[in-house]
Amino acid sequence: NLVLVKTNQREQEKEIFGFTTLRVWSELFPVVLDLEELLRDKVANPPVPPACPDCNVGEASGTVDKLLMTANQALEYLVTGYYKFYLAEKYLAYNHAREQISITQFLLYRLGFTKILAKEKVLEFGARLGESIKMANSLIKNLENKIRRVDDMKFIMEKTRE
């Protein structure tokens, strides 16, 4: 009975928040939450690592803020794209999401390079973001194919009228 209740809740959630059915969104969302949790402490108590005594703590804090902003913007673009009606608008929104995920991955690398984050954390989150980029690429490629088929169909319809 408990399983049935949980299943019904999940189905209701998908019905209300349809964007959660996007594979890339459902993969990226926990990554963003985990990054926020990991970096929240870094912003509140910025370390000055011994390996980087000249690092500018304010600059690191700015990088963390920008990373979290771009990660959340990626999620927002995915949601926006999901609710767009026209394929071209979906395509543009998903492209923006992919760009934001890529920028997030770069900023993560930068935090590792300046020793603000441990290398193993950078590699772990970098790999997870890389998977999200691959999923976004797949989503975009599928949309490109749909757009191409629609364009081909328009061309055929125009030729049959002649």
Side-chain angles (χ1 to χ4, degrees), residues 9-34:
Q9 287 174 340
R10 262 188 251 121
E11 291 304 315
Q12 186 180 18
E13 181 181 309
K14 287 179 181 179
E15 201 173 295
I16 295 170
F17 303 106
F19 58 85
T20 62
T21 60
L22 278 176
R23 220 173 111 222
V24 63
W25 189 92
S26 63
E27 182 76 21
L28 183 60
F29 184 65
V31 175
V32 173
L33 292 179
D34 291 347

Side-chain angles (χ1 to χ4, degrees), residues 3-151:
V3 173
L4 184 60
V5 170
K6 285 187 176 186
T7 303
N8 287 340
Q9 287 174 340
R10 262 188 251 121
E11 291 304 315
Q12 186 180 18
E13 181 181 309
K14 287 179 181 179
E15 201 173 295
I16 295 170
F17 303 106
F19 58 85
T20 62
T21 60
L22 278 176
R23 220 173 111 222
V24 63
W25 189 92
S26 63
E27 182 76 21
L28 183 60
F29 184 65
V31 175
V32 173
L33 292 179
D34 291 347
L35 277 170
E36 286 175 344
E37 185 177 323
L38 174 70
L39 296 173
R40 189 177 308 124
D41 183 51
K42 297 287 182 193
V43 172
N45 307 306
V48 179
C52 188
D54 298 328
C55 287
N56 182 339
V57 173
E59 181 181 320
S61 178
T63 303
V64 166
D65 291 343
K66 186 169 182 180
L67 182 146
L68 294 175
M69 182 185 72
T70 58
N72 280 293
Q73 283 177 337
L75 291 170
E76 291 170 12
Y77 279 121
L78 289 169
V79 171
T80 300
Y82 180 83
Y83 287 112
K84 292 292 184 184
F85 179 78
Y86 295 105
L87 292 177
E89 290 177 340
K90 285 181 178 291
Y91 176 82
L92 291 173
Y94 293 151
N95 253 322
H96 286 307
R98 178 179 57 186
E99 289 171 12
Q100 295 304 308
I101 300 168
S102 300
I103 291 168
T104 302
Q105 192 180 45
F106 160 72
L107 292 168
L108 179 72
Y109 175 80
R110 191 164 147 192
L111 287 175
F113 185 77
T114 57
K115 311 259 189 288
I116 301 300
L117 278 182
K119 186 172 189 154
E120 57 272 358
K121 287 294 181 188
V122 172
L123 292 175
E124 173 195 337
F125 282 101
R128 291 171 72 187
L129 289 168
E131 283 302 310
S132 294
I133 291 169
K134 287 178 188 175
M135 287 180 194
N137 286 340
S138 177
L139 182 62
I140 291 165
K141 187 68 174 171
N142 287 339
L143 271 175
E144 286 173 347
N145 290 335
K146 283 182 183 178
I147 290 169
R148 196 172 295 114
R149 283 194 299 269
V150 168
D151 288 344

